[in-house]
Each structure stands twice: as structure tokens, then as C-alpha cells.
Amino acid sequence: MKTEKKINLFVQGPISPEFIAGSIAKHQRKTHIGAHDIFLGQVRADTIDGRTVEAIEYSAYEAMALEKIVEIREAAFAKYDLSCMHIYHSLGRVAAGEICLFVFVSSPHRKEVFTALHQVVEHIKKELPVFGKECFGDDSYSWKINQ
């Protein structure tokens, strides 16, 4: 049963721990929910060709991304018994160690959220038109390839 209609996808900069905690706290009132599962994507300080990633600058085809996220959500709600789902992705600069993706799935039962969350995150990483420019300390960059 889908309970929300408005899709908020993008957040400027990193997704704060306070925002994540607030999202979780709001669900205490929803007593028909028995399980939640959360995915937090964090920017890694990967070393590429001897250079360390200091941040990722995210950009997106926003209108296309919103259409795609609706498609991904609708498919998950059609396949699983979900109560609600929240998806937030950063735009702009996110430093290594900060959160850039927050996916929060709720259902009456735990098995549904585990499977649904995995599927949704995989679709986001493969299909969402969001692009990451990995920024290095020497002002050079490379484009991130999602897998």
C-alpha cells in the first residue's frame, strides 16, 4: 500500500545525520509498519592513479531522474507489500566520508524491506541519470562509473 505521493529526490550537498535521524523518528507514529531497512551511500576516498578522491560533485538530468525514480518506486510498490519509501540523492559537492544517498523502505514485515531495498538501490545505481565527478586534491577529476 503506497502512502505517499510527492517525490523529493534531490538534496543540495551532503545528507546530514540529523536529516536521516529525523526521517526515522517521524515513522514512530506509523504503527502499521513492522520493519524498516535503510541504505546509506557514503563517498569513499578511493585512490585512482595515485590520487585520492577528496569529494564527488554530483549533477543530474533532474526531470529525467524524477521520472525514473517514480518508475523504480512504482515497480517496487507493485512487487512488494511496502508501506512507504523515501529516496534522497545529493547534488553538488559531497566530501569523502559524507552521505550522498539515503534510501529508507518500510513495510509491515521484514522480508519485504530487505528484498525491496536491495532491488531499489541496484536500480538507482544502474538507471538513475545522476553523474559523479570525482575531485582530487590537485584540482583534477575523473567521472565516476556506477556499477
Side-chain angles (χ1 to χ4, degrees):
M1 172 177 110
K2 187 168 69 168
T3 60
E4 60 184 13
K5 296 182 178 26
K6 184 179 177 188
I7 305 294
N8 293 322
L9 177 59
F10 293 115
V11 173
Q12 282 299 319
I15 301 166
S16 73
E18 296 79 15
F19 179 83
I20 295 164
S23 295
I24 295 166
K26 290 176 188 174
H27 284 74
Q28 291 177 320
R29 296 186 305 260
K30 299 179 180 184
T31 57
H32 65 284
I33 293 173
H36 305 285
D37 202 2
I38 296 172
F39 175 83
L40 300 174
Q42 178 173 309
V43 173
R44 289 185 312 272
D46 286 343
T47 300
I48 302 169
D49 298 328
R51 300 170 298 162
T52 301
V53 173
E54 291 188 353
I56 297 180
E57 289 182 12
Y58 290 99
S59 59
Y61 290 120
E62 291 185 46
M64 187 184 297
L66 289 171
E67 286 180 24
K68 179 53 78 174
I69 210 67
V70 167
E71 182 182 308
I72 291 168
R73 283 174 45 85
E74 293 299 318
F77 276 106
K79 188 171 183 177
Y80 303 103
D81 180 21
L82 301 177
S83 301
C84 60
M85 179 186 307
H86 305 277
I87 302 168
Y88 300 95
H89 200 298
S90 293
L91 288 181
R93 189 175 180 92
V94 180
E98 293 180 319
I99 302 298
C100 57
L101 177 61
F102 170 37
V103 183
F104 184 19
V105 179
S106 304
S107 173
H109 307 286
R110 69 183 176 279
K111 288 182 183 180
E112 296 288 314
V113 297
F114 296 150
T115 308
L117 180 69
H118 177 80
Q119 176 188 329
V120 167
V121 170
E122 290 303 311
H123 283 290
I124 288 169
K125 296 300 282 182
K126 291 177 183 169
E127 301 171 24
L128 205 63
V130 173
F131 311 99
K133 184 167 76 171
E134 296 173 309
C135 303
F136 305 103
D138 62 0
D139 291 329
S140 65
Y141 64 88
S142 67
W143 289 99
K144 185 167 182 52
I145 299 171
N146 286 331
Q147 299 176 354

